[in-house]
Amino acid sequence: IGLLGAHGYGTTGRGHGKMGSWVEQDFVQHCSAEYVDLRPTPRSTIAAAFSPDGAVVASTHGDHTVKVSDCATGRSVQVMNGHMRTPWVVRFNPADSNMLASGSLDHLVNIWQLNTGHRL
């Protein structure tokens, strides 16, 4: 930080300074985004979570589904049905990228096995 500070990138005051924006700008330069067409087309996307290994992203939707997409290709990996109402939260098991949980307005938490799409 001392060397960076000498070049105007150190933190100032309450920790806000050029360092944060410099790191953010560097990070953004290495990112890319692309539109992914989800099938079946959802009414709305409510929540999303990346798997611990970063290979897939799970998202919850107004059509009561949990959709999982491959981060590298954007292709749909799995569409899981089983909630009677909209799922509002989704999380992967931190120790097992093949297992995730979704909770919905029907007061249920479903535990899913990703490779089969079945509830456990």
Side-chain angles (χ1 to χ4, degrees):
I1 297 285
L3 179 61
L4 293 172
H7 293 286
Y9 290 109
T11 59
T12 59
R14 297 183 187 173
H16 303 290
K18 293 181 182 178
M19 178 63 127
S21 65
W22 174 69
V23 171
E24 185 178 290
Q25 286 173 1
D26 184 59
F27 176 76
V28 170
Q29 288 177 358
H30 300 303
C31 292
S32 64
E34 186 175 315
Y35 178 79
V36 175
D37 192 23
L38 296 172
R39 294 290 173 198
T41 304
R43 291 190 308 197
S44 57
T45 301
I46 307 299
F50 287 93
S51 62
D53 60 8
V56 296
V57 61
S59 52
T60 65
H61 302 277
D63 61 0
H64 306 177
T65 62
V66 177
K67 294 175 173 45
V68 181
S69 300
D70 183 284
C71 289
T73 65
R75 288 190 351 243
S76 176
V77 173
Q78 198 67 258
V79 177
M80 294 169 284
N81 295 289
H83 284 291
M84 299 300 288
R85 296 195 57 199
T86 301
W88 281 82
V89 65
V90 63
R91 295 288 185 271
F92 279 90
N93 179 331
D96 183 0
S97 292
N98 190 48
M99 186 182 297
L100 63 144
S102 58
S104 70
L105 296 175
D106 56 12
H107 304 285
L108 293 177
V109 174
N110 288 329
I111 309 295
W112 305 94
Q113 188 171 5
L114 181 56
N115 61 347
T116 64
H118 295 124
R119 283 184 286 186
L120 300 178

PDB file of all heavy atoms in Angstrom, residues 83-109:
ATOM      1  N   HIS A  83     -41.832 -26.233  -6.659  1.00  0.00           N
ATOM      2  CA  HIS A  83     -42.400 -25.249  -5.736  1.00  0.00           C
ATOM      3  C   HIS A  83     -43.811 -24.905  -6.196  1.00  0.00           C
ATOM      4  O   HIS A  83     -44.070 -24.773  -7.386  1.00  0.00           O
ATOM      5  CB  HIS A  83     -41.551 -23.980  -5.708  1.00  0.00           C
ATOM      6  CG  HIS A  83     -40.286 -24.128  -4.941  1.00  0.00           C
ATOM      7  ND1 HIS A  83     -40.251 -24.277  -3.572  1.00  0.00           N
ATOM      8  CD2 HIS A  83     -38.987 -24.162  -5.345  1.00  0.00           C
ATOM      9  CE1 HIS A  83     -38.998 -24.387  -3.169  1.00  0.00           C
ATOM     10  NE2 HIS A  83     -38.213 -24.331  -4.233  1.00  0.00           N
ATOM     11  N   MET A  84     -44.703 -24.744  -5.233  1.00  0.00           N
ATOM     12  CA  MET A  84     -46.073 -24.347  -5.547  1.00  0.00           C
ATOM     13  C   MET A  84     -46.175 -22.829  -5.717  1.00  0.00           C
ATOM     14  O   MET A  84     -47.104 -22.336  -6.339  1.00  0.00           O
ATOM     15  CB  MET A  84     -47.025 -24.798  -4.423  1.00  0.00           C
ATOM     16  CG  MET A  84     -47.040 -26.317  -4.238  1.00  0.00           C
ATOM     17  SD  MET A  84     -47.556 -27.196  -5.716  1.00  0.00           S
ATOM     18  CE  MET A  84     -49.281 -26.805  -5.727  1.00  0.00           C
ATOM     19  N   ARG A  85     -45.196 -22.110  -5.144  1.00  0.00           N
ATOM     20  CA  ARG A  85     -45.161 -20.656  -5.274  1.00  0.00           C
ATOM     21  C   ARG A  85     -43.744 -20.239  -5.651  1.00  0.00           C
ATOM     22  O   ARG A  85     -42.842 -21.062  -5.740  1.00  0.00           O
ATOM     23  CB  ARG A  85     -45.602 -20.003  -3.963  1.00  0.00           C
ATOM     24  CG  ARG A  85     -47.069 -20.366  -3.663  1.00  0.00           C
ATOM     25  CD  ARG A  85     -47.726 -19.544  -2.628  1.00  0.00           C
ATOM     26  NE  ARG A  85     -47.711 -18.112  -2.915  1.00  0.00           N
ATOM     27  CZ  ARG A  85     -47.904 -17.199  -1.985  1.00  0.00           C
ATOM     28  NH1 ARG A  85     -48.117 -17.556  -0.730  1.00  0.00           N
ATOM     29  NH2 ARG A  85     -47.889 -15.923  -2.289  1.00  0.00           N
ATOM     30  N   THR A  86     -43.540 -18.962  -5.848  1.00  0.00           N
ATOM     31  CA  THR A  86     -42.257 -18.441  -6.314  1.00  0.00           C
ATOM     32  C   THR A  86     -41.139 -18.693  -5.312  1.00  0.00           C
ATOM     33  O   THR A  86     -41.255 -18.298  -4.152  1.00  0.00           O
ATOM     34  CB  THR A  86     -42.373 -16.932  -6.568  1.00  0.00           C
ATOM     35  OG1 THR A  86     -43.394 -16.717  -7.542  1.00  0.00           O
ATOM     36  CG2 THR A  86     -41.067 -16.356  -7.073  1.00  0.00           C
ATOM     37  N   PRO A  87     -40.045 -19.328  -5.754  1.00  0.00           N
ATOM     38  CA  PRO A  87     -38.874 -19.449  -4.871  1.00  0.00           C
ATOM     39  C   PRO A  87     -38.145 -18.107  -4.800  1.00  0.00           C
ATOM     40  O   PRO A  87     -37.904 -17.470  -5.823  1.00  0.00           O
ATOM     41  CB  PRO A  87     -38.021 -20.526  -5.542  1.00  0.00           C
ATOM     42  CG  PRO A  87     -38.505 -20.624  -6.939  1.00  0.00           C
ATOM     43  CD  PRO A  87     -39.879 -20.056  -7.003  1.00  0.00           C
ATOM     44  N   TRP A  88     -37.810 -17.688  -3.589  1.00  0.00           N
ATOM     45  CA  TRP A  88     -37.191 -16.387  -3.371  1.00  0.00           C
ATOM     46  C   TRP A  88     -35.724 -16.477  -2.999  1.00  0.00           C
ATOM     47  O   TRP A  88     -35.043 -15.455  -2.921  1.00  0.00           O
ATOM     48  CB  TRP A  88     -37.950 -15.617  -2.295  1.00  0.00           C
ATOM     49  CG  TRP A  88     -39.181 -15.003  -2.854  1.00  0.00           C
ATOM     50  CD1 TRP A  88     -40.388 -15.623  -3.060  1.00  0.00           C
ATOM     51  CD2 TRP A  88     -39.334 -13.677  -3.343  1.00  0.00           C
ATOM     52  NE1 TRP A  88     -41.277 -14.754  -3.620  1.00  0.00           N
ATOM     53  CE2 TRP A  88     -40.662 -13.532  -3.807  1.00  0.00           C
ATOM     54  CE3 TRP A  88     -38.489 -12.584  -3.424  1.00  0.00           C
ATOM     55  CZ2 TRP A  88     -41.139 -12.359  -4.343  1.00  0.00           C
ATOM     56  CZ3 TRP A  88     -38.976 -11.400  -3.953  1.00  0.00           C
ATOM     57  CH2 TRP A  88     -40.298 -11.300  -4.407  1.00  0.00           C
ATOM     58  N   VAL A  89     -35.230 -17.661  -2.748  1.00  0.00           N
ATOM     59  CA  VAL A  89     -33.827 -17.805  -2.367  1.00  0.00           C
ATOM     60  C   VAL A  89     -33.289 -19.122  -2.910  1.00  0.00           C
ATOM     61  O   VAL A  89     -34.020 -20.108  -3.015  1.00  0.00           O
ATOM     62  CB  VAL A  89     -33.661 -17.717  -0.827  1.00  0.00           C
ATOM     63  CG1 VAL A  89     -34.336 -18.883  -0.129  1.00  0.00           C
ATOM     64  CG2 VAL A  89     -32.211 -17.616  -0.434  1.00  0.00           C
ATOM     65  N   VAL A  90     -32.009 -19.099  -3.286  1.00  0.00           N
ATOM     66  CA  VAL A  90     -31.334 -20.310  -3.740  1.00  0.00           C
ATOM     67  C   VAL A  90     -29.892 -20.246  -3.252  1.00  0.00           C
ATOM     68  O   VAL A  90     -29.274 -19.174  -3.273  1.00  0.00           O
ATOM     69  CB  VAL A  90     -31.413 -20.480  -5.282  1.00  0.00           C
ATOM     70  CG1 VAL A  90     -30.702 -19.362  -6.016  1.00  0.00           C
ATOM     71  CG2 VAL A  90     -30.874 -21.833  -5.699  1.00  0.00           C
ATOM     72  N   ARG A  91     -29.373 -21.369  -2.762  1.00  0.00           N
ATOM     73  CA  ARG A  91     -28.002 -21.448  -2.277  1.00  0.00           C
ATOM     74  C   ARG A  91     -27.439 -22.830  -2.578  1.00  0.00           C
ATOM     75  O   ARG A  91     -28.136 -23.830  -2.458  1.00  0.00           O
ATOM     76  CB  ARG A  91     -27.907 -21.234  -0.763  1.00  0.00           C
ATOM     77  CG  ARG A  91     -28.313 -19.870  -0.286  1.00  0.00           C
ATOM     78  CD  ARG A  91     -27.291 -18.806  -0.655  1.00  0.00           C
ATOM     79  NE  ARG A  91     -27.618 -17.523  -0.106  1.00  0.00           N
ATOM     80  CZ  ARG A  91     -28.379 -16.616  -0.688  1.00  0.00           C
ATOM     81  NH1 ARG A  91     -28.929 -16.868  -1.856  1.00  0.00           N
ATOM     82  NH2 ARG A  91     -28.616 -15.446  -0.125  1.00  0.00           N
ATOM     83  N   PHE A  92     -26.161 -22.852  -2.941  1.00  0.00           N
ATOM     84  CA  PHE A  92     -25.458 -24.116  -3.139  1.00  0.00           C
ATOM     85  C   PHE A  92     -24.874 -24.589  -1.816  1.00  0.00           C
ATOM     86  O   PHE A  92     -24.514 -23.776  -0.957  1.00  0.00           O
ATOM     87  CB  PHE A  92     -24.314 -23.942  -4.144  1.00  0.00           C
ATOM     88  CG  PHE A  92     -24.770 -23.978  -5.573  1.00  0.00           C
ATOM     89  CD1 PHE A  92     -25.149 -22.819  -6.210  1.00  0.00           C
ATOM     90  CD2 PHE A  92     -24.818 -25.173  -6.274  1.00  0.00           C
ATOM     91  CE1 PHE A  92     -25.575 -22.840  -7.528  1.00  0.00           C
ATOM     92  CE2 PHE A  92     -25.247 -25.207  -7.589  1.00  0.00           C
ATOM     93  CZ  PHE A  92     -25.621 -24.032  -8.212  1.00  0.00           C
ATOM     94  N   ASN A  93     -24.743 -25.892  -1.688  1.00  0.00           N
ATOM     95  CA  ASN A  93     -24.010 -26.472  -0.567  1.00  0.00           C
ATOM     96  C   ASN A  93     -22.551 -26.073  -0.751  1.00  0.00           C
ATOM     97  O   ASN A  93     -21.964 -26.352  -1.793  1.00  0.00           O
ATOM     98  CB  ASN A  93     -24.172 -27.996  -0.594  1.00  0.00           C
ATOM     99  CG  ASN A  93     -23.436 -28.691   0.514  1.00  0.00           C
ATOM    100  OD1 ASN A  93     -22.413 -28.226   1.013  1.00  0.00           O
ATOM    101  ND2 ASN A  93     -23.949 -29.835   0.906  1.00  0.00           N
ATOM    102  N   PRO A  94     -21.925 -25.404   0.226  1.00  0.00           N
ATOM    103  CA  PRO A  94     -20.552 -24.935   0.034  1.00  0.00           C
ATOM    104  C   PRO A  94     -19.535 -26.061  -0.173  1.00  0.00           C
ATOM    105  O   PRO A  94     -18.483 -25.841  -0.762  1.00  0.00           O
ATOM    106  CB  PRO A  94     -20.236 -24.173   1.320  1.00  0.00           C
ATOM    107  CG  PRO A  94     -21.451 -24.181   2.149  1.00  0.00           C
ATOM    108  CD  PRO A  94     -22.485 -25.007   1.487  1.00  0.00           C
ATOM    109  N   ALA A  95     -19.879 -27.260   0.271  1.00  0.00           N
ATOM    110  CA  ALA A  95     -18.952 -28.387   0.135  1.00  0.00           C
ATOM    111  C   ALA A  95     -19.280 -29.284  -1.051  1.00  0.00           C
ATOM    112  O   ALA A  95     -18.520 -30.192  -1.366  1.00  0.00           O
ATOM    113  CB  ALA A  95     -18.961 -29.213   1.420  1.00  0.00           C
ATOM    114  N   ASP A  96     -20.414 -29.051  -1.717  1.00  0.00           N
ATOM    115  CA  ASP A  96     -20.850 -29.945  -2.795  1.00  0.00           C
ATOM    116  C   ASP A  96     -21.610 -29.151  -3.852  1.00  0.00           C
ATOM    117  O   ASP A  96     -22.775 -28.812  -3.668  1.00  0.00           O
ATOM    118  CB  ASP A  96     -21.735 -31.048  -2.218  1.00  0.00           C
ATOM    119  CG  ASP A  96     -22.190 -32.061  -3.244  1.00  0.00           C
ATOM    120  OD1 ASP A  96     -21.835 -31.946  -4.439  1.00  0.00           O
ATOM    121  OD2 ASP A  96     -22.914 -32.997  -2.850  1.00  0.00           O
ATOM    122  N   SER A  97     -20.957 -28.853  -4.974  1.00  0.00           N
ATOM    123  CA  SER A  97     -21.585 -28.074  -6.045  1.00  0.00           C
ATOM    124  C   SER A  97     -22.736 -28.804  -6.715  1.00  0.00           C
ATOM    125  O   SER A  97     -23.449 -28.226  -7.526  1.00  0.00           O
ATOM    126  CB  SER A  97     -20.544 -27.705  -7.106  1.00  0.00           C
ATOM    127  OG  SER A  97     -19.614 -26.797  -6.589  1.00  0.00           O
ATOM    128  N   ASN A  98     -22.933 -30.065  -6.392  1.00  0.00           N
ATOM    129  CA  ASN A  98     -24.017 -30.851  -6.987  1.00  0.00           C
ATOM    130  C   ASN A  98     -25.301 -30.776  -6.156  1.00  0.00           C
ATOM    131  O   ASN A  98     -26.298 -31.369  -6.515  1.00  0.00           O
ATOM    132  CB  ASN A  98     -23.574 -32.307  -7.155  1.00  0.00           C
ATOM    133  CG  ASN A  98     -24.548 -33.111  -7.973  1.00  0.00           C
ATOM    134  OD1 ASN A  98     -24.975 -32.671  -9.039  1.00  0.00           O
ATOM    135  ND2 ASN A  98     -24.930 -34.271  -7.478  1.00  0.00           N
ATOM    136  N   MET A  99     -25.270 -30.042  -5.038  1.00  0.00           N
ATOM    137  CA  MET A  99     -26.433 -29.962  -4.174  1.00  0.00           C
ATOM    138  C   MET A  99     -26.776 -28.501  -3.904  1.00  0.00           C
ATOM    139  O   MET A  99     -25.899 -27.696  -3.601  1.00  0.00           O
ATOM    140  CB  MET A  99     -26.155 -30.671  -2.847  1.00  0.00           C
ATOM    141  CG  MET A  99     -27.364 -30.755  -1.944  1.00  0.00           C
ATOM    142  SD  MET A  99     -26.975 -31.563  -0.364  1.00  0.00           S
ATOM    143  CE  MET A  99     -26.524 -33.191  -0.924  1.00  0.00           C
ATOM    144  N   LEU A 100     -28.060 -28.155  -4.063  1.00  0.00           N
ATOM    145  CA  LEU A 100     -28.502 -26.806  -3.767  1.00  0.00           C
ATOM    146  C   LEU A 100     -29.861 -26.825  -3.102  1.00  0.00           C
ATOM    147  O   LEU A 100     -30.585 -27.826  -3.171  1.00  0.00           O
ATOM    148  CB  LEU A 100     -28.517 -25.925  -5.018  1.00  0.00           C
ATOM    149  CG  LEU A 100     -29.440 -26.289  -6.155  1.00  0.00           C
ATOM    150  CD1 LEU A 100     -29.970 -25.026  -6.797  1.00  0.00           C
ATOM    151  CD2 LEU A 100     -28.663 -27.064  -7.188  1.00  0.00           C
ATOM    152  N   ALA A 101     -30.172 -25.726  -2.447  1.00  0.00           N
ATOM    153  CA  ALA A 101     -31.453 -25.588  -1.753  1.00  0.00           C
ATOM    154  C   ALA A 101     -32.154 -24.350  -2.276  1.00  0.00           C
ATOM    155  O   ALA A 101     -31.518 -23.350  -2.625  1.00  0.00           O
ATOM    156  CB  ALA A 101     -31.227 -25.465  -0.251  1.00  0.00           C
ATOM    157  N   SER A 102     -33.483 -24.430  -2.348  1.00  0.00           N
ATOM    158  CA  SER A 102     -34.290 -23.272  -2.728  1.00  0.00           C
ATOM    159  C   SER A 102     -35.461 -23.171  -1.769  1.00  0.00           C
ATOM    160  O   SER A 102     -36.053 -24.173  -1.386  1.00  0.00           O
ATOM    161  CB  SER A 102     -34.779 -23.396  -4.179  1.00  0.00           C
ATOM    162  OG  SER A 102     -35.541 -24.573  -4.351  1.00  0.00           O
ATOM    163  N   GLY A 103     -35.767 -21.950  -1.379  1.00  0.00           N
ATOM    164  CA  GLY A 103     -36.888 -21.712  -0.480  1.00  0.00           C
ATOM    165  C   GLY A 103     -37.892 -20.798  -1.152  1.00  0.00           C
ATOM    166  O   GLY A 103     -37.527 -19.905  -1.913  1.00  0.00           O
ATOM    167  N   SER A 104     -39.169 -21.051  -0.874  1.00  0.00           N
ATOM    168  CA  SER A 104     -40.202 -20.306  -1.583  1.00  0.00           C
ATOM    169  C   SER A 104     -41.292 -19.793  -0.661  1.00  0.00           C
ATOM    170  O   SER A 104     -41.312 -20.087   0.531  1.00  0.00           O
ATOM    171  CB  SER A 104     -40.827 -21.179  -2.674  1.00  0.00           C
ATOM    172  OG  SER A 104     -41.606 -22.194  -2.084  1.00  0.00           O
ATOM    173  N   LEU A 105     -42.217 -19.052  -1.257  1.00  0.00           N
ATOM    174  CA  LEU A 105     -43.337 -18.486  -0.526  1.00  0.00           C
ATOM    175  C   LEU A 105     -44.340 -19.547  -0.071  1.00  0.00           C
ATOM    176  O   LEU A 105     -45.263 -19.233   0.663  1.00  0.00           O
ATOM    177  CB  LEU A 105     -44.051 -17.445  -1.399  1.00  0.00           C
ATOM    178  CG  LEU A 105     -43.214 -16.215  -1.758  1.00  0.00           C
ATOM    179  CD1 LEU A 105     -43.977 -15.322  -2.717  1.00  0.00           C
ATOM    180  CD2 LEU A 105     -42.811 -15.454  -0.519  1.00  0.00           C
ATOM    181  N   ASP A 106     -44.166 -20.796  -0.504  1.00  0.00           N
ATOM    182  CA  ASP A 106     -45.041 -21.869  -0.030  1.00  0.00           C
ATOM    183  C   ASP A 106     -44.524 -22.453   1.291  1.00  0.00           C
ATOM    184  O   ASP A 106     -45.010 -23.462   1.762  1.00  0.00           O
ATOM    185  CB  ASP A 106     -45.220 -22.965  -1.090  1.00  0.00           C
ATOM    186  CG  ASP A 106     -43.907 -23.556  -1.574  1.00  0.00           C
ATOM    187  OD1 ASP A 106     -42.850 -23.306  -0.962  1.00  0.00           O
ATOM    188  OD2 ASP A 106     -43.934 -24.267  -2.593  1.00  0.00           O
ATOM    189  N   HIS A 107     -43.517 -21.791   1.886  1.00  0.00           N
ATOM    190  CA  HIS A 107     -42.927 -22.173   3.170  1.00  0.00           C
ATOM    191  C   HIS A 107     -42.195 -23.501   3.112  1.00  0.00           C
ATOM    192  O   HIS A 107     -42.073 -24.184   4.120  1.00  0.00           O
ATOM    193  CB  HIS A 107     -43.987 -22.198   4.284  1.00  0.00           C
ATOM    194  CG  HIS A 107     -44.708 -20.903   4.427  1.00  0.00           C
ATOM    195  ND1 HIS A 107     -44.152 -19.793   5.015  1.00  0.00           N
ATOM    196  CD2 HIS A 107     -45.950 -20.524   4.032  1.00  0.00           C
ATOM    197  CE1 HIS A 107     -45.004 -18.801   4.991  1.00  0.00           C
ATOM    198  NE2 HIS A 107     -46.105 -19.202   4.398  1.00  0.00           N
ATOM    199  N   LEU A 108     -41.716 -23.860   1.941  1.00  0.00           N
ATOM    200  CA  LEU A 108     -40.955 -25.093   1.765  1.00  0.00           C
ATOM    201  C   LEU A 108     -39.536 -24.781   1.323  1.00  0.00           C
ATOM    202  O   LEU A 108     -39.306 -23.844   0.562  1.00  0.00           O
ATOM    203  CB  LEU A 108     -41.605 -25.994   0.719  1.00  0.00           C
ATOM    204  CG  LEU A 108     -42.971 -26.589   1.053  1.00  0.00           C
ATOM    205  CD1 LEU A 108     -43.495 -27.386  -0.133  1.00  0.00           C
ATOM    206  CD2 LEU A 108     -42.879 -27.471   2.285  1.00  0.00           C
ATOM    207  N   VAL A 109     -38.615 -25.603   1.785  1.00  0.00           N
ATOM    208  CA  VAL A 109     -37.243 -25.572   1.294  1.00  0.00           C
ATOM    209  C   VAL A 109     -37.009 -26.888   0.582  1.00  0.00           C
ATOM    210  O   VAL A 109     -37.185 -27.958   1.166  1.00  0.00           O
ATOM    211  CB  VAL A 109     -36.224 -25.401   2.444  1.00  0.00           C
ATOM    212  CG1 VAL A 109     -34.809 -25.514   1.929  1.00  0.00           C
ATOM    213  CG2 VAL A 109     -36.437 -24.064   3.145  1.00  0.00           C
TER     214      VAL A 109
END
